[in-house]
Amino acid sequence: MRTPEIVDLRAIDPVDCPCGIARRAFADSDDFPGTLHFTQISQDARAHFHREHTEIYVILKCDPDAAIELDGVRHPVQPLKSILIPPGVTHRAIGEMEVLIVCTPEFDSRDEHFPGESRN
C-alpha cells in the first residue's frame, strides 16, 4: 500500500553542492522517480552539467540581479520563474537565491560533470 510522505525540508541535513548548500528529499521514495532539493545559493555557482539528470529549478527568492547561465547565455530570474534543464546543458546560478530543484531520475553526485574536467 502506498503511503504519502511529508518532509520538512528545513530539517534535512544540508550538503555542499556546485550550486551552494542543498537539502535533498525523497531519495528513498518508491513512489517518486527523482529527488527534490531545497538549495541555498550564496555566491555564483560552479558551472556543471549532467549526462542523465533533468532538473527543474523553481526560483523562490533571489537578488534583483540574479540569473541562471545556460550553455553560456545568462538569463535573468525572479521569484516563481521556472527553468527546465535537460541533460547535457551546462548551467550555473549567478547571485544569491533560494530554489527548489526537481531532479529526475533520482539525484546521483556521480552525474555532476564539470566542463574541462575528465572523470574516470
Side-chain angles (χ1 to χ4, degrees):
M1 183 172 179
R2 294 185 172 167
T3 304
E5 298 178 51
I6 299 173
V7 173
D8 181 346
L9 295 171
R10 297 166 296 178
I12 296 172
D13 289 334
V15 296
D16 290 330
C17 69
C19 295
I21 301 294
R23 290 171 168 84
R24 298 183 179 126
F26 305 116
D28 298 325
S29 176
D30 292 333
D31 294 315
F32 180 60
T35 49
L36 177 68
H37 308 195
F38 174 55
T39 304
Q40 295 169 293
I41 301 165
S42 60
Q43 58 186 10
D44 292 355
R46 186 172 177 201
H48 63 287
F49 64 95
H50 308 283
R51 291 193 175 109
E52 303 294 327
H53 296 138
T54 296
E55 293 181 314
I56 297 174
Y57 279 48
V58 179
I59 311 302
L60 301 176
K61 295 181 190 177
C62 64
D63 286 344
D65 59 347
I68 188 156
E69 190 175 272
L70 304 168
D71 284 338
V73 178
R74 194 176 282 207
H75 303 271
V77 296
Q78 60 194 27
L80 298 183
K81 188 165 271 194
S82 297
I83 304 99
L84 185 140
I85 305 170
V89 173
T90 299
H91 57 283
R92 72 184 183 116
I94 300 168
E96 290 189 19
M97 60 183 87
E98 288 185 357
V99 299
L100 281 179
I101 301 172
V102 178
C103 180
T104 185
E106 181 180 312
F107 180 77
D108 183 339
S109 63
R110 294 174 293 185
D111 192 34
E112 288 181 320
H113 305 279
F114 302 93
E117 291 183 16
S118 63
R119 182 179 273 191
N120 296 330

